[in-house]
Amino acid sequence: MQRRKSHETNFKNKFFAFAVLATLLVTLIMTLAQLPTAKSTIQNVPVGIVNQDQGLIGKSLTNKAMHNKTKAAHADHPMFKWYEYKTVKAANHALSFNGNYATVIIPKDLSQSVQTVGQTGQKSTVKIVINQGRNHTLATNVSSVLTSLFNKVGTSIGTGVLAKMAALNLSVPDSKAEAIANPINVKTSIVHSTKNLEAASSVFFQPIWITSLVPTMLLYFASRPFNQNIKKMS
């Protein structure tokens, strides 16, 4: 009889321990499931840059980007942590496998295009590739900030070109004025798209929450014998 009670006690203890471990495991999974969407502040976000332009403008633009220390509101660190790559292939690999959120590609014709935009009216295109799969919310913010940043750079370059033309008393053709004022197009594309998956984390959360009821029930049944023993003792 005593041995039987001992076996029952051991079983109850193991059952209770299993229920506790199951609860902790579900809690951990639920927490990890929400971590990707929790980070939305832009700080130290890894971004790659590839400079295909051998002219002064491309080199200057790359240097300024990599030394940019601008911080977001309430952030302790700069918005971006820049990594320079020699080829687009290397940057694409880092974008897909090394955790980069974006890649900025400076075209090889940038310097030449800026110098001749007054005659040709043709803009050069800076490409920004966004890895949306890393974190949909943060990737969207990164895309917006990078697009704004390089649009401002284009405007700054255009202002400089117009100032030089004015100093040389060169007229600005109306058909070319807009291209000269902003000689850079910014084109954004997305890889690892999360389109139609914006609610994925909450969809994943619901079955885990329902599953969490199981260890709750286990804890309830595991504690019942202890509650009954306490009542008997009282």
Side-chain angles (χ1 to χ4, degrees):
M1 186 73 177
Q2 211 168 16
R3 184 179 297 177
R4 183 180 176 182
K5 287 183 179 180
S6 177
H7 284 309
E8 288 180 355
T9 301
N10 289 335
F11 175 77
K12 291 172 184 176
N13 290 340
K14 290 179 181 179
F15 188 72
F16 187 78
F18 172 76
V20 172
L21 288 174
T23 303
L24 292 174
L25 180 61
V26 170
T27 302
L28 177 62
I29 294 174
M30 292 169 68
T31 302
L32 292 176
Q34 299 305 308
L35 283 179
T37 58
K39 182 180 179 182
S40 59
T41 302
I42 303 180
Q43 59 176 338
N44 274 344
V45 174
V47 174
I49 186 167
V50 181
N51 178 27
Q52 298 178 318
D53 179 35
Q54 298 303 311
L56 293 176
I57 294 178
K59 292 178 181 178
S60 175
L61 185 55
T62 302
N63 185 61
K64 287 181 179 179
M66 296 192 69
H67 289 86
N68 191 311
K69 301 299 181 183
T70 303
K71 296 180 181 179
H74 309 297
D76 299 322
H77 304 284
M79 288 191 288
F80 302 116
K81 190 172 184 178
W82 293 90
Y83 296 92
E84 186 175 10
Y85 299 93
K86 297 297 183 182
T87 64
V88 174
K89 183 179 180 180
N92 286 340
H93 184 274
L95 190 66
S96 296
F97 301 104
N98 290 358
N100 286 3
Y101 277 79
T103 296
V104 177
I105 303 172
I106 299 174
K108 60 183 179 181
D109 67 339
L110 179 64
S111 294
Q112 183 180 357
S113 176
V114 170
Q115 292 170 2
T116 61
V117 69
Q119 289 78 42
T120 65
Q122 298 295 318
K123 297 184 179 184
S124 187
T125 301
V126 171
K127 297 179 181 178
I128 300 175
V129 185
I130 302 294
N131 182 355
Q132 199 174 64
R134 284 280 288 147
N135 179 325
H136 177 84
T137 301
L138 186 56
T140 300
N141 292 340
V142 168
S143 176
S144 177
V145 172
L146 286 176
T147 300
S148 176
L149 173 64
F150 284 94
N151 276 329
K152 289 179 180 178
V153 168
T155 301
S156 177
I157 292 174
T159 300
V161 172
L162 289 172
K164 288 181 180 179
M165 293 181 70
L168 296 172
N169 293 319
L170 297 176
S171 61
V172 179
D174 292 338
S175 59
K176 308 290 193 307
E178 193 275 332
I180 296 173
N182 191 350
I184 295 178
N185 274 328
V186 179
K187 182 180 179 181
T188 302
S189 60
I190 293 173
V191 295
H192 307 302
S193 175
T194 58
K195 186 178 181 181
N196 300 325
L197 295 176
E198 292 85 350
S201 60
S202 61
V203 171
F204 181 57
F205 178 84
Q206 290 173 6
I208 295 177
W209 175 78
I210 294 173
T211 306
S212 69
L213 296 177
V214 175
T216 301
M217 293 295 293
L218 291 175
L219 281 172
Y220 170 73
F221 287 114
S223 63
R224 283 186 65 187
F226 297 101
N227 291 335
Q228 292 173 0
N229 291 336
I230 292 172
K231 289 180 179 179
K232 288 179 180 180
M233 290 176 65
S234 60

